[in-house]
Amino acid sequence: MILSRPALLRALRGAGALGLSALLLACSSAPNRPEPAPLPPDPKLLGMRQAWSADIGRVDFSLVVQVVGNAVGVASSEGRVSLLDARTGEPVWRAEVGTPLNAGVGHDGRMAAVVTTENELVALQDGKELWRQRLSAPSYTAPLVAGARVFVLGADRSVSAYDGQSGRRLWNQTRTGEALVLRQPGVLIPVGDTLVVGLSGRLVGLNPLNGTPRWEVPIATPRGTNDVERLVDLVAGVARQDAVVCTRAFQAALGCVDAARGALVWSKPAAGASGLSGDATQVLGIESDGTVVAWRRADGERAWSTSQLRYRKLSSPLLLGPALVVGDDAGRLHFLSRTDGALQTRVETDGSPIAATPVLAGSTLVVVTRAGRVLGLRPE
């Protein structure tokens, strides 16, 4: 449920014995969002063609599209899960979970895992269900499937590991935190032999064998007079270069952490709510008003910014060679120059919002819309 600020504050005051941790804050734009400026003419400096398309069913949850080799994991809100071959768009396999989804799709190229709205973790392989386990709390983060295990980040800020074949829970780590959590995907990634997780405003490194903490680095510190203002959860979509992981704290800051040493490289204030992309020289992201910003990876100073796409409800970005790709709520893909943010070309999809961060699979750009269209695009 999306609450206005007054309604949310009333709910906070009245939560009482129900516990504030049960209230989930969904990220949304203000209802009186300013009208965006007219789009500039398309310069058509880059040529993109549609190589294939597929339909998976409507996507109204926070889908994370993951690529392993040529396998692309996608799913519909109603629980249709597919691994697609990025070269052709044909399914490697399909499965029906039978329950609407909250989170997914995590996969390792063979086995996939999703979380349902009934708080069940479901593992799938070759189009068949392997197992399902009841979780103690909702999860809005795609499970991580790695090393014959499935890792889950819960909305109660718990982290759990499950055996990939049997579904037996191997370990569980819990911690208290701020009262509210975001109803959007958080950080859960492997870096070398460390499981890296976002917990409140901190990036935490865990031993994946037993969940023991190895290091903990703050990206942002909770501040403010109420729980809304103190919310600083880390959001999915990191800009990783070797062992250095750059991540965003919701509406507070972004920062880079050396995950090999568990040390903060830098942290800077930033007012954004979506994930990052980047390479060896830049970290790129979208601020809450739609301003696209590039920060220098070395020190976090701004390299450039552009406001030409403000108020268009942009997706998280994808850095694609010389271009930065972002989607908007009208189903357009905007290709911007990584040098200064200037528009390079624009691609129309089906007119429904872009539902997930675009991903690159081999030489194919894969895009998913809210209407459930999956498109494979390639350079002309």
Side-chain angles (χ1 to χ4, degrees):
M1 179 173 63
I2 299 174
L3 298 177
S4 66
R5 183 183 178 89
L8 183 54
L9 292 176
R10 287 195 298 272
L12 289 172
R13 288 193 291 268
L18 293 178
L20 291 181
S21 61
L23 285 170
L24 300 170
L25 181 65
C27 176
S28 67
S29 295
N32 297 320
R33 181 179 56 144
E35 285 296 316
L39 290 170
D42 184 355
K44 300 185 184 301
L45 298 177
L46 298 175
M48 298 294 295
R49 63 179 178 87
Q50 181 179 311
W52 52 262
S53 70
D55 291 304
I56 60 171
R58 189 159 182 85
V59 180
D60 287 318
F61 74 107
S62 297
L63 173 67
V64 173
V65 181
Q66 184 181 353
V67 176
V68 178
N70 289 307
V72 180
V74 293
S76 71
S77 295
E78 292 306 309
R80 179 187 300 170
V81 182
S82 305
L83 284 191
L84 304 180
D85 187 326
R87 296 166 294 190
T88 63
E90 293 297 316
V92 178
W93 56 253
R94 276 197 190 109
E96 295 284 349
V97 173
T99 310
L101 301 184
N102 262 351
V105 176
H107 72 97
D108 61 2
R110 295 181 66 250
M111 185 173 73
V114 295
V115 179
T116 74
T117 55
E118 295 182 355
N119 299 347
E120 291 178 317
L121 172 64
V122 183
L124 307 157
Q125 187 169 308
D126 298 328
K128 299 177 181 178
E129 182 177 317
L130 286 177
W131 49 264
R132 65 176 63 199
Q133 288 283 4
R134 176 75 61 178
L135 301 176
S136 60
S139 176
Y140 301 99
T141 301
L144 170 64
V145 181
R149 296 185 176 197
V150 180
F151 301 93
V152 176
L153 174 62
D156 59 353
R157 296 189 174 86
S158 64
V159 185
S160 304
Y162 296 82
D163 181 87
Q165 289 304 307
S166 69
R168 179 174 62 91
R169 194 172 78 173
L170 303 174
W171 55 261
N172 178 64
Q173 287 282 354
T174 60
R175 67 169 61 196
T176 58
E178 299 304 311
L180 297 182
V181 296
L182 285 174
R183 191 171 179 164
Q184 71 180 70
V187 177
L188 181 65
I189 61 170
V191 179
D193 64 350
T194 299
L195 179 66
V196 176
V197 185
L199 297 173
S200 297
R202 296 172 176 270
L203 204 62
V204 179
L206 303 177
N207 182 337
L209 299 179
N210 55 24
T212 303
R214 289 177 169 167
W215 49 261
E216 190 169 308
V217 179
I219 301 296
T221 302
R223 295 174 180 170
T225 59
N226 59 61
D227 292 288
V228 178
E229 294 173 346
R230 292 174 60 82
L231 181 62
V232 291
D233 272 343
L234 303 188
V235 300
V238 303
R240 178 184 169 188
Q241 188 72 23
D242 298 323
V244 177
V245 177
C246 300
T247 185
R248 182 190 291 278
F250 177 76
Q251 300 288 23
L254 56 86
C256 293
V257 173
D258 185 334
R261 299 185 296 116
L264 181 68
V265 180
W266 55 260
S267 179
K268 298 286 184 180
S274 59
L276 306 172
S277 188
D279 60 10
T281 61
Q282 289 185 341
V283 175
L284 301 114
I286 314 295
E287 298 296 83
S288 292
D289 65 354
T291 299
V292 183
V293 182
W295 294 269
R296 295 195 309 237
R297 178 177 280 272
D299 55 14
E301 296 301 317
R302 284 199 179 196
W304 55 261
S305 66
T306 177
S307 59
Q308 62 184 305
L309 299 177
R310 290 177 74 197
Y311 312 124
R312 292 188 178 275
K313 295 184 70 173
L314 302 179
S315 71
S316 296
L318 170 68
L319 186 58
L320 191 64
L324 180 70
V325 185
V326 296
D328 69 18
D329 60 350
R332 303 183 190 93
L333 293 172
H334 306 269
F335 292 72
L336 310 179
S337 167
R338 75 175 304 282
T339 303
D340 57 9
L343 180 65
Q344 302 295 294
T345 197
R346 187 181 302 124
V347 174
E348 303 279 348
T349 60
D350 61 5
S352 69
I354 303 301
T357 306
V359 298
L360 182 65
S363 60
T364 303
L365 176 66
V366 180
V367 181
V368 182
T369 71
R370 288 278 177 222
R373 195 92 180 273
V374 185
L375 301 174
L377 306 174
R378 295 189 185 123
E380 290 183 332

